[in-house]
PDB file of all heavy atoms in Angstrom:
ATOM      1  N   ARG A  24     253.890   9.695  22.571  1.00  0.00           N
ATOM      2  CA  ARG A  24     253.232  10.579  21.578  1.00  0.00           C
ATOM      3  C   ARG A  24     254.165  11.690  21.106  1.00  0.00           C
ATOM      4  O   ARG A  24     254.992  12.151  21.937  1.00  0.00           O
ATOM      5  CB  ARG A  24     252.032  11.165  22.186  1.00  0.00           C
ATOM      6  CG  ARG A  24     251.168  11.953  21.166  1.00  0.00           C
ATOM      7  CD  ARG A  24     250.033  12.754  21.764  1.00  0.00           C
ATOM      8  NE  ARG A  24     249.472  13.640  20.643  1.00  0.00           N
ATOM      9  CZ  ARG A  24     248.808  14.659  20.930  1.00  0.00           C
ATOM     10  NH1 ARG A  24     248.602  15.104  22.110  1.00  0.00           N
ATOM     11  NH2 ARG A  24     248.215  15.369  19.864  1.00  0.00           N
ATOM     12  N   HIS A  25     254.043  12.143  19.880  1.00  0.00           N
ATOM     13  CA  HIS A  25     254.853  13.236  19.428  1.00  0.00           C
ATOM     14  C   HIS A  25     254.625  14.485  20.278  1.00  0.00           C
ATOM     15  O   HIS A  25     253.594  14.593  20.865  1.00  0.00           O
ATOM     16  CB  HIS A  25     254.623  13.522  17.923  1.00  0.00           C
ATOM     17  CG  HIS A  25     253.165  13.841  17.674  1.00  0.00           C
ATOM     18  ND1 HIS A  25     252.622  15.118  17.970  1.00  0.00           N
ATOM     19  CD2 HIS A  25     252.105  13.121  17.209  1.00  0.00           C
ATOM     20  CE1 HIS A  25     251.413  15.178  17.695  1.00  0.00           C
ATOM     21  NE2 HIS A  25     250.995  13.945  17.158  1.00  0.00           N
ATOM     22  N   GLY A  26     255.590  15.333  20.168  1.00  0.00           N
ATOM     23  CA  GLY A  26     255.437  16.695  20.903  1.00  0.00           C
ATOM     24  C   GLY A  26     254.499  17.668  20.185  1.00  0.00           C
ATOM     25  O   GLY A  26     253.847  17.308  19.218  1.00  0.00           O
ATOM     26  N   ALA A  27     254.543  18.839  20.651  1.00  0.00           N
ATOM     27  CA  ALA A  27     253.681  19.957  20.140  1.00  0.00           C
ATOM     28  C   ALA A  27     254.013  20.132  18.634  1.00  0.00           C
ATOM     29  O   ALA A  27     255.158  20.111  18.233  1.00  0.00           O
ATOM     30  CB  ALA A  27     253.874  21.244  20.922  1.00  0.00           C
ATOM     31  N   VAL A  28     253.023  20.434  17.875  1.00  0.00           N
ATOM     32  CA  VAL A  28     253.127  20.587  16.397  1.00  0.00           C
ATOM     33  C   VAL A  28     252.870  22.000  15.948  1.00  0.00           C
ATOM     34  O   VAL A  28     252.166  22.776  16.596  1.00  0.00           O
ATOM     35  CB  VAL A  28     252.080  19.676  15.706  1.00  0.00           C
ATOM     36  CG1 VAL A  28     252.126  19.720  14.170  1.00  0.00           C
ATOM     37  CG2 VAL A  28     252.242  18.212  16.192  1.00  0.00           C
ATOM     38  N   VAL A  29     253.645  22.419  14.912  1.00  0.00           N
ATOM     39  CA  VAL A  29     253.402  23.749  14.416  1.00  0.00           C
ATOM     40  C   VAL A  29     251.926  23.949  14.017  1.00  0.00           C
ATOM     41  O   VAL A  29     251.307  23.037  13.327  1.00  0.00           O
ATOM     42  CB  VAL A  29     254.275  23.937  13.147  1.00  0.00           C
ATOM     43  CG1 VAL A  29     253.951  25.209  12.285  1.00  0.00           C
ATOM     44  CG2 VAL A  29     255.789  23.909  13.386  1.00  0.00           C
ATOM     45  N   GLY A  30     251.310  24.981  14.423  1.00  0.00           N
ATOM     46  CA  GLY A  30     249.920  25.187  14.176  1.00  0.00           C
ATOM     47  C   GLY A  30     248.971  24.875  15.320  1.00  0.00           C
ATOM     48  O   GLY A  30     247.774  25.098  15.268  1.00  0.00           O
ATOM     49  N   GLY A  31     249.604  24.294  16.386  1.00  0.00           N
ATOM     50  CA  GLY A  31     248.752  24.002  17.562  1.00  0.00           C
ATOM     51  C   GLY A  31     247.868  22.784  17.477  1.00  0.00           C
ATOM     52  O   GLY A  31     248.021  21.975  16.556  1.00  0.00           O
ATOM     53  N   GLY A  32     246.955  22.687  18.467  1.00  0.00           N
ATOM     54  CA  GLY A  32     246.108  21.490  18.538  1.00  0.00           C
ATOM     55  C   GLY A  32     244.947  21.526  17.552  1.00  0.00           C
ATOM     56  O   GLY A  32     243.985  22.252  17.696  1.00  0.00           O
ATOM     57  N   ARG A  33     245.093  20.659  16.539  1.00  0.00           N
ATOM     58  CA  ARG A  33     244.040  20.540  15.543  1.00  0.00           C
ATOM     59  C   ARG A  33     243.804  19.020  15.275  1.00  0.00           C
ATOM     60  O   ARG A  33     244.557  18.219  15.759  1.00  0.00           O
ATOM     61  CB  ARG A  33     244.540  21.155  14.224  1.00  0.00           C
ATOM     62  CG  ARG A  33     244.712  22.681  14.269  1.00  0.00           C
ATOM     63  CD  ARG A  33     245.304  23.216  12.997  1.00  0.00           C
ATOM     64  NE  ARG A  33     245.531  24.630  13.099  1.00  0.00           N
ATOM     65  CZ  ARG A  33     244.634  25.627  12.743  1.00  0.00           C
ATOM     66  NH1 ARG A  33     243.537  25.216  12.212  1.00  0.00           N
ATOM     67  NH2 ARG A  33     244.909  26.884  12.917  1.00  0.00           N
ATOM     68  N   PHE A  34     242.755  18.732  14.562  1.00  0.00           N
ATOM     69  CA  PHE A  34     242.522  17.325  14.056  1.00  0.00           C
ATOM     70  C   PHE A  34     243.487  17.099  12.989  1.00  0.00           C
ATOM     71  O   PHE A  34     243.363  17.641  11.831  1.00  0.00           O
ATOM     72  CB  PHE A  34     241.080  17.145  13.642  1.00  0.00           C
ATOM     73  CG  PHE A  34     240.148  17.015  14.785  1.00  0.00           C
ATOM     74  CD1 PHE A  34     239.528  18.113  15.338  1.00  0.00           C
ATOM     75  CD2 PHE A  34     239.841  15.735  15.274  1.00  0.00           C
ATOM     76  CE1 PHE A  34     238.630  17.975  16.355  1.00  0.00           C
ATOM     77  CE2 PHE A  34     238.946  15.679  16.311  1.00  0.00           C
ATOM     78  CZ  PHE A  34     238.365  16.787  16.881  1.00  0.00           C
ATOM     79  N   ARG A  35     244.509  16.242  13.272  1.00  0.00           N
ATOM     80  CA  ARG A  35     245.515  15.894  12.220  1.00  0.00           C
ATOM     81  C   ARG A  35     245.547  14.400  12.107  1.00  0.00           C
ATOM     82  O   ARG A  35     245.825  13.687  13.047  1.00  0.00           O
ATOM     83  CB  ARG A  35     246.883  16.397  12.644  1.00  0.00           C
ATOM     84  CG  ARG A  35     247.087  17.933  12.544  1.00  0.00           C
ATOM     85  CD  ARG A  35     248.524  18.310  12.749  1.00  0.00           C
ATOM     86  NE  ARG A  35     248.729  19.662  12.794  1.00  0.00           N
ATOM     87  CZ  ARG A  35     248.567  20.507  13.815  1.00  0.00           C
ATOM     88  NH1 ARG A  35     248.172  19.998  15.017  1.00  0.00           N
ATOM     89  NH2 ARG A  35     248.725  21.782  13.726  1.00  0.00           N
ATOM     90  N   GLY A  36     245.367  13.923  10.897  1.00  0.00           N
ATOM     91  CA  GLY A  36     245.575  12.503  10.672  1.00  0.00           C
ATOM     92  C   GLY A  36     246.541  12.391   9.415  1.00  0.00           C
ATOM     93  O   GLY A  36     247.728  12.236   9.524  1.00  0.00           O
ATOM     94  N   ALA A  37     245.976  12.679   8.273  1.00  0.00           N
ATOM     95  CA  ALA A  37     246.824  12.658   7.006  1.00  0.00           C
ATOM     96  C   ALA A  37     247.583  14.015   6.967  1.00  0.00           C
ATOM     97  O   ALA A  37     248.565  14.047   6.314  1.00  0.00           O
ATOM     98  CB  ALA A  37     245.888  12.572   5.792  1.00  0.00           C
ATOM     99  N   ALA A  38     247.146  15.030   7.583  1.00  0.00           N
ATOM    100  CA  ALA A  38     247.834  16.360   7.574  1.00  0.00           C
ATOM    101  C   ALA A  38     249.282  16.106   8.161  1.00  0.00           C
ATOM    102  O   ALA A  38     249.316  15.548   9.240  1.00  0.00           O
ATOM    103  CB  ALA A  38     247.118  17.347   8.404  1.00  0.00           C
ATOM    104  N   ASP A  39     250.326  16.524   7.430  1.00  0.00           N
ATOM    105  CA  ASP A  39     251.707  16.098   7.721  1.00  0.00           C
ATOM    106  C   ASP A  39     252.497  17.241   8.208  1.00  0.00           C
ATOM    107  O   ASP A  39     253.610  17.520   7.749  1.00  0.00           O
ATOM    108  CB  ASP A  39     252.261  15.403   6.594  1.00  0.00           C
ATOM    109  CG  ASP A  39     253.468  14.456   6.935  1.00  0.00           C
ATOM    110  OD1 ASP A  39     253.566  14.178   8.178  1.00  0.00           O
ATOM    111  OD2 ASP A  39     254.222  14.110   6.028  1.00  0.00           O
TER     112      ASP A  39
END
Side-chain angles (χ1 to χ4, degrees):
R24 188 191 173 200
H25 61 78
V28 179
V29 172
R33 298 172 181 270
F34 282 89
R35 288 186 183 88
D39 203 14

